[in-house]
Amino acid sequence: EAGVAQSPRYKIIEKRQSVAFWCNPISGHATLYWYQQILGQGPKLLIQFQNNGVVDDSQLPKDRFSAERLKGVDSTLKIQPAKLEDSAVYLCASSADRTGGYTFGSGTRLTVV
Amino acid sequence: KQEVTQIPAALSVPEGENLVLNCSFTDSAIYNLQWFRQDPGKGLTSLLLIQSSQREQTSGRLNASLDKSSGRSTLYIAASQPGDSATYLCAVGTYNQGGKLIFGQGTELSVKP
């Protein structure tokens, strides 16, 4: 079974620029999550999709972050404009259902300078 | 609101020792609890998933226990090896938060040869 694919692996941008991350979950997994992990901390959920609908985006900074999951498969997370404090690893995960185990991708390390 | 705490934050042991990592959570109404491993600059690798009806899970040299009533889980690593050096994260899926995984801040383990 193929894992969760994420790209790019690394990204360096200047503040106020925009950036987008892509995630392809495990085939058949209905639930997709985007987490933000700041250095030295545990991951924090940004947004949760069930198929192509948003279940929870309560911790997503909606003035600058947006996410979509078209056709209930791939997902894109965008930041515009980026701030220095957005420097973090952005992790995508998927699960078959809410009670199942999560599988994480390798993450995208974002550095905002 | 679910809060997850991991103690200790960092641990250094000589090779061959048996060790225990601790995780506590404040809301016992959980779907499951999952232990992850994270190598520097990498994504999360799932180690063990314990459903709320289970008391423990084992995989090789790893054993995880769950005591819902006291809000605690432990990860036991037998005969530690330098290759076990990584950050270990505990996460719980909570009923009243849509099942999303809430993470602790992790325990950074270093096993010295």
Side-chain angles (χ1 to χ4, degrees), chain B residues 14-43:
Chain B
E15 182 177 5
E17 272 204 7
N18 301 324
L19 58 99
V20 174
L21 307 182
N22 296 292
C23 172
S24 62
F25 48 94
T26 54
D27 184 347
S28 61
I30 65 171
Y31 286 125
N32 53 36
L33 183 145
Q34 200 164 358
W35 282 93
F36 294 89
R37 169 185 172 138
Q38 186 173 34
D39 293 289
K42 301 291 179 63

Side-chain angles (χ1 to χ4, degrees), chain A residues 9-10 33 35 37 40-45 48 55-56 58-59 89 91 98-107 109, chain B residues 1 31-32 34 36 38 40-46 49 51 87 89 93 95 97-106:
Chain A
R9 286 284 284 123
Y10 306 94
Y33 313 83
Y35 279 81
Q37 185 179 25
Q41 299 181 16
K44 180 186 79 172
L45 181 72
Q48 175 184 349
V55 174
D56 184 348
S58 57
Q59 297 194 80
V89 176
L91 295 161
R98 288 189 300 171
T99 62
Y102 285 31
T103 301
F104 279 83
S106 300
R109 179 174 295 277
Chain B
K1 179 183 172 185
Y31 286 125
N32 53 36
Q34 200 164 358
F36 294 89
Q38 186 173 34
K42 301 291 179 63
L44 277 63
T45 300
S46 179
L49 170 67
Q51 299 294 346
T87 296
L89 291 153
Y95 275 102
Q97 291 187 258
K100 68 186 180 190
L101 282 186
I102 306 297
F103 282 83
Q105 74 275 31

Side-chain angles (χ1 to χ4, degrees), chain B residues 6-105:
Chain B
Q6 291 187 246
I7 295 173
L11 181 63
S12 181
V13 300
E15 182 177 5
E17 272 204 7
N18 301 324
L19 58 99
V20 174
L21 307 182
N22 296 292
C23 172
S24 62
F25 48 94
T26 54
D27 184 347
S28 61
I30 65 171
Y31 286 125
N32 53 36
L33 183 145
Q34 200 164 358
W35 282 93
F36 294 89
R37 169 185 172 138
Q38 186 173 34
D39 293 289
K42 301 291 179 63
L44 277 63
T45 300
S46 179
L47 298 173
L48 291 164
L49 170 67
I50 310 177
Q51 299 294 346
S52 61
S53 58
Q54 298 174 323
R55 296 283 295 186
E56 66 177 346
Q57 283 286 340
T58 298
S59 176
R61 294 182 293 108
L62 305 180
N63 175 275
S65 67
L66 174 63
D67 183 342
K68 270 199 324 178
S69 60
S70 66
R72 295 180 188 276
S73 175
T74 62
L75 178 66
Y76 176 82
I77 302 177
S80 59
Q81 303 170 359
D84 295 331
S85 297
T87 296
Y88 291 81
L89 291 153
C90 163
V92 295
T94 308
Y95 275 102
N96 62 11
Q97 291 187 258
K100 68 186 180 190
L101 282 186
I102 306 297
F103 282 83
Q105 74 275 31

